Amino acid sequence: MASRRPDEPLASSRVGLARAGEYRGEVAAFHYTTTGEPNIEPSTSPPRRILVLSADLGEGHDAAARALAADLTRERPESEVAIRDGLVALGPLLHRLIRDGSWFQFRRVPWVFGIVYALLMGFAPVRRASHAAMYRIGGSGLLRLIELHRPDIIVSTYPGINPVLGRLRRRGLVRVPICTTVLDLASLEFWAHAGIDLHLVMHDGSSERIAELAGAGRSRCVRPLVAPAFFEPRGQVEARRSLRLPAAGTVVVVTGGGWGIGDLDGAVRSALEAGAAAVACVAGRNDEARERLLLAFGGEPRVRVLGFTDRMRDLIAAADVLIHSGGGVTCLEGLVAGRPTVLYGMPPGHWRANARGMAALGLARVARSPRELRTVLEAELELPPTAPFERSTPSAASLVFEAEARANGRGAPRLGLGRRDRRLPVGNRGDGRRRGEYARADGKERQRAEEHRSPEWSPVPALAHEHEREGHRRDDVHDQHNGRDPGRRPALERGHLAHQAHPGGGGRPEHPQSGRAPSSAPDGVGQHLRGDTAPGVREPGANNDGDARPTTQAA
């Protein structure tokens, strides 16, 4: 399957996609670190640009991204939602290793994936090393994608990019809030990260573990993130008629997700032995599995084999029981539609771990063998129908917009950062085009952009005033060398230069050349006049720990 470029939208998404390069908000504030990497900050406009990062692994992550985009545009129609493949943005190496490697392992050697999963989940040093390697290899590519779209908020539906996003956020390179939609009950070590501002969980059972991994208060439970059509009433008889399935009798739907993984043949055979009147098996994009099913059940009139389909809403509505080989979005769709779900034929790894979690919460039944599957199916068919899901919990879209509002200073909590992150150095290098764009903005827009940044939320403070004062200091030194009177500079800068030439305030209180005593500094700048560094700013000559070393002033 051809992979998408990181700036290319999903082919099946048609909801509120933003055109690349288009920006309708106020001036976005950018600063650049000494390595030339941009610090991306929120714009001063209302939340109109949301970047949703997904991945082309199966269909669940993309389906969740489309469902979220639909909810976001329904919640606030003026918003622009762009869906991009975050795995592609990490670079070709990680894309081939993760996507193509997973595809090969699931189809050929699933036990290898089980070993890799056990190492990542069972040994924290291995997991931390993998996170660090992903950040080092793919962090710059993901940052370029974010810079291209200049979002007000970022939402991830794929756990593989969360460690990279979290590190970018904690290091101050991404200044906008980041949310993630936790679709599973397993692999929370990849879903959760201390740099992610908000984890939107589909099940309450995930909240406690996420609090241990990312910190308390970083998760909220939301309604299942499925397409809006699943929340609308759909009659079983009408759905069967549209699919040309028998109106009477038991209908079982077997699915292996977008990649068609798992023991689909055994599931279909067990459903027939349990007395199903019709079995619809969805093989997804796995052409090999589809051909094998057609060869095995082509002469059975009760079996219908399908490839990838966009009619899962009708299939689940027509079914009496849903058999799935994993978890994720398909199980959420069955939960919303009120259809009992049986998990069978799961490959090793997070599929089995997620199945155990769903069974522990009573959300699904697990069958470990064809015989056990027949027993479970017979028991499920004797139970009364389950009531459809009710919209009692908040939507993911509403909490995404709430997180964006909190990030703009309206009750935003402080993001816990390490010492080195709080002292992130900010230099004057970077993209001259963006600096020019910011400089050409009128004074009112620039003032709004500066006031928009909240020092309680962001690890790097607004530095416009510091840059201006640094420019004045350089001009004073230039005047001294050329024999001109530096007294024409503002009194605050003359005082700062005098104290910089005489650390600690000792020596002459007047300007080195003019002999005039500096005017009293305004309130709140005493620390700067004494040579103390501003919070989050490292003075020139600082060492790696952020402690300033004495510097010599040009005579």
Side-chain angles (χ1 to χ4, degrees):
M1 180 186 302
S3 60
R4 295 187 300 270
R5 299 189 308 271
D7 58 343
E8 181 182 355
L10 296 177
S12 56
S13 177
R14 296 290 185 269
V15 184
L17 292 181
R19 292 187 295 273
E22 180 183 0
Y23 186 59
R24 302 177 183 175
E26 301 286 347
V27 175
F30 279 74
H31 290 303
Y32 283 77
T33 66
T34 55
T35 60
E37 295 177 303
N39 289 325
I40 305 172
E41 302 181 6
S43 68
T44 59
S45 63
R48 291 186 293 184
R49 185 173 285 259
I50 302 99
L51 177 61
V52 180
L53 297 176
S54 179
D56 183 22
L57 275 82
E59 182 64 17
H61 304 294
D62 288 348
R66 292 192 297 269
L68 178 62
D71 288 344
L72 289 168
T73 53
R74 184 183 301 104
E75 186 95 6
R76 297 192 183 180
E78 73 278 6
S79 299
E80 297 179 1
V81 183
I83 303 177
R84 298 294 183 265
D85 194 321
L87 188 56
V88 174
L90 294 181
L93 175 61
L94 288 177
H95 181 260
R96 286 194 295 266
L97 182 64
I98 296 176
R99 186 198 179 277
D100 299 341
S102 299
W103 172 249
F104 175 78
Q105 291 174 16
F106 290 154
R107 296 178 61 189
R108 304 300 183 190
V109 284
W111 58 270
V112 173
F113 183 82
I115 295 176
V116 174
Y117 178 82
L119 288 173
L120 291 174
M121 296 298 106
F123 298 92
V126 176
R127 185 169 60 252
R128 287 194 294 266
S130 68
H131 291 179
M134 290 178 63
Y135 175 78
R136 183 172 294 273
I137 297 173
S140 59
L142 188 60
L143 191 62
R144 284 193 298 269
L145 175 64
I146 297 172
E147 182 190 3
L148 173 66
H149 292 280
R150 302 183 186 181
D152 295 295
I153 192 167
I154 302 169
V155 186
S156 167
T157 64
Y158 172 60
I161 62 176
N162 285 2
V164 181
L165 284 174
R167 291 198 177 205
L168 291 174
R169 181 77 166 105
R170 285 177 63 85
R171 298 188 179 193
L173 300 177
V174 173
R175 302 286 299 276
V176 297
I178 299 176
C179 303
T180 184
T181 58
V182 183
L183 304 175
D184 299 324
L185 286 166
S187 307
L188 297 182
E189 288 77 4
F190 272 87
W191 283 106
H193 195 280
I196 304 293
D197 298 270
L198 184 61
H199 302 76
L200 305 172
V201 301
M202 312 291 128
H203 312 289
D204 284 330
S206 306
S207 300
E208 183 177 353
R209 179 57 177 160
I210 289 178
E212 297 175 359
L213 296 169
R218 293 296 187 94
S219 66
R220 294 281 300 275
C221 189
V222 298
R223 71 179 63 136
L225 195 57
V226 298
F230 283 89
F231 290 99
E232 300 173 359
R234 178 65 167 165
Q236 188 179 66
V237 176
E238 181 182 356
R240 291 186 179 187
R241 183 184 303 114
S242 66
L243 296 170
R244 297 181 180 178
L245 293 174
T250 301
V251 174
V252 177
V253 173
V254 178
T255 174
W259 279 0
I261 63 173
D263 184 14
L264 302 181
D265 306 66
V268 172
R269 192 171 290 107
S270 297
L272 293 175
E273 293 175 357
V279 178
C281 183
V282 181
R285 295 186 174 93
N286 193 338
D287 295 335
E288 181 181 341
R290 183 170 181 268
E291 293 176 0
R292 186 178 65 249
L293 289 166
L294 288 174
L295 183 63
F297 302 101
E300 174 58 64
R302 294 182 295 169
V303 176
R304 179 178 299 181
V305 178
L306 304 173
F308 183 82
T309 177
D310 58 357
R311 301 196 63 183
M312 286 302 299
R313 176 67 182 99
D314 289 335
L315 285 169
I316 293 178
D320 294 291
V321 179
L322 173 65
I323 302 177
H324 188 41
S325 60
V329 173
T330 302
C331 290
L332 295 176
E333 293 170 347
L335 177 65
V336 172
R339 296 298 183 266
T341 302
V342 180
L343 300 177
Y344 167 76
M346 300 80 63
H350 70 285
W351 304 94
R352 295 182 181 179
N354 193 60
R356 290 192 296 268
M358 296 191 68
L361 295 178
L363 301 175
R365 299 279 298 272
V366 177
R368 297 171 179 83
S369 65
R371 178 179 299 179
E372 187 176 354
L373 177 58
R374 290 194 300 271
T375 304
V376 171
L377 285 176
E378 294 171 356
E380 289 291 344
L381 293 175
E382 295 177 357
L383 296 176
T386 307
F389 183 85
E390 296 182 0
R391 300 189 183 189
S392 56
T393 51
S395 66
S398 64
L399 294 185
V400 167
F401 286 121
E402 180 182 324
E404 197 278 338
R406 289 163 64 86
N408 284 339
R410 299 188 290 272
R414 182 186 297 274
L415 181 64
L417 297 167
R419 181 178 181 182
R420 291 189 62 184
D421 296 329
R422 289 197 303 268
R423 295 175 180 268
L424 181 71
V426 178
N428 293 324
R429 295 187 297 170
D431 192 338
R433 178 178 58 82
R434 282 198 180 81
R435 293 203 310 272
E437 176 185 349
Y438 182 72
R440 289 191 298 271
D442 59 55
K444 185 177 298 185
E445 288 180 338
R446 294 178 63 180
Q447 181 179 2
R448 284 201 299 266
E450 295 298 335
E451 293 176 351
H452 179 67
R453 293 190 290 269
S454 172
E456 294 183 357
W457 178 261
S458 177
V460 181
L463 299 178
H465 183 58
E466 297 296 330
H467 291 168
E468 183 179 0
R469 295 208 301 181
E470 182 66 27
H472 287 319
R473 288 195 292 269
R474 288 196 300 268
D475 292 340
D476 272 353
V477 174
H478 179 74
D479 291 342
Q480 293 177 42
H481 282 286
N482 289 276
R484 291 195 295 269
D485 181 13
R488 59 192 179 92
R489 301 296 169 197
L492 175 61
E493 309 308 326
R494 299 198 309 269
H496 189 98
L497 183 60
H499 281 269
Q500 191 177 27
H502 303 280
R508 296 177 299 169
E510 65 273 6
H511 193 278
Q513 283 196 2
S514 68
R516 294 176 297 183
S519 303
S520 60
D523 295 335
V525 298
Q527 291 182 348
H528 298 287
L529 296 181
R530 289 193 299 271
D532 297 342
T533 57
V537 182
R538 191 192 308 178
E539 290 289 342
N543 58 20
N544 290 334
D545 295 330
D547 300 324
R549 295 194 297 264
T551 57
T552 57
Q553 179 70 29

